[in-house]
Amino acid sequence: MACIWAKSMVNLRFLSVFFLFLLCLPTGGGQKKKENLLSEKVDQMMEWSSRRSVIRMNGDKFRRYVKAPPRNYSVIVMFTALQPQRQCSVCRQANEEYQVLANSWRYSSAFSNKLFFTVVDYDEGADVFQQLNMNSAPTFMHFPAKGKPKRADTFDLQRIGFASEQLAKWIADRTDVQIRVFRPPNYSGTIALALLVSLVGGLLYLRRNNLEFIYNKTGWAMAALCVVFAMTSGQMWNHIRGPPYAHKNPQNGQVSYIHGSSQAQFVAESHIILLLNAAITMGMVLLNEAATSKGDVGKRRIICLVGLGLVVFFFSFLLSIFRSKYHGYPYSFLIK
């Protein structure tokens, strides 16, 4: 009996070792297959990236190289609609900034296979838009090397704008990859400044015998007001953040010129604020003129009424815009 029991134990141990060996076989083969697939995907992405900084993708490429595992690299995807029939001017502007950022990464000394820039156009990958329940463009998303994208992996374009520097900062927060933005040289500003200096110099030369206009207080006041209107309307913020001119709702086609958040604005919004401030200032100037001038009383009364009307109406309009951006602000005047 002891001999039979011993043989049984030997057989059980042999079977256990044999089954463990069988279990290890597919695991090792699957791991090797996974590594080969990953290497193939990285090599293909590097090849595409060597041809152009931004890799164009359709639905099949997106699902294979961006969505499907295995993947040890991060992918930045711009979902856009660049075809002329889409009439998306914001998409073209955002694409220019995106190309600047991708080129800065592609030709930097830190370039590696850990980050790739891609683009999915609606007309080439409408199924991707449907899969992600995406109904607006442009949209920037980060697909991390491991796991699924989180809420912070979608770039807040409406609040931050699409300037290359802002995109680079967002990418650094999501991937720890630092990209120094290099913009191609733009000589338009230098040429414009040279023309302005030449124009002013020519004007001073022609009027060299009569330079009284330099001491004209009204002219200097108008120039100062123009600078003040430009700065208070947010032109500098537009230059830094690069927001879109306006926003068109893709569902109903309605165009919004005023941003609904107090943390952002559209370019059109700054133009509207500039005109409102100018109209209110004009009203104040007319009120001052009516009070200080010594002309006909009837004429002064008309000027006073016009100035008062400008101040009251346009200040009410300005206050209503303020209420629409700062939700919960309790005060209004004439226009709600």
Side-chain angles (χ1 to χ4, degrees), residues 174-209:
R174 305 311 304 162
T175 65
D176 292 330
V177 174
Q178 303 290 335
I179 303 177
R180 184 180 178 184
V181 178
F182 292 95
R183 293 185 177 274
N186 185 0
Y187 300 105
S188 59
T190 305
I191 295 174
L193 180 61
L195 290 175
L196 178 62
V197 172
S198 300
L199 180 62
V200 173
L203 180 62
L204 292 175
Y205 178 77
L206 294 174
R207 298 289 301 273
R208 61 185 181 278
N209 297 325

Side-chain angles (χ1 to χ4, degrees), residues 258-312:
I258 305 296
H259 199 285
S261 172
S262 60
Q263 302 298 319
Q265 70 174 13
F266 299 129
V267 175
E269 180 179 338
S270 62
H271 294 166
I272 294 172
I273 299 301
L274 187 150
L275 293 176
L276 291 178
N277 286 335
I280 294 171
T281 302
M282 178 60 68
M284 295 298 296
V285 171
L286 292 178
L287 287 174
N288 180 73
E289 183 68 18
T292 57
S293 64
K294 298 180 180 180
D296 182 65
V297 176
K299 184 178 179 180
R300 291 168 59 190
R301 186 175 297 154
I302 294 174
I303 294 176
C304 179
L305 292 175
V306 172
L308 184 62
L310 288 173
V311 172
V312 170

Side-chain angles (χ1 to χ4, degrees), residues 242-262:
Y245 187 82
H247 175 68
K248 184 177 182 180
N249 192 319
Q251 297 179 347
N252 54 25
Q254 184 178 359
V255 179
S256 300
Y257 298 101
I258 305 296
H259 199 285
S261 172
S262 60

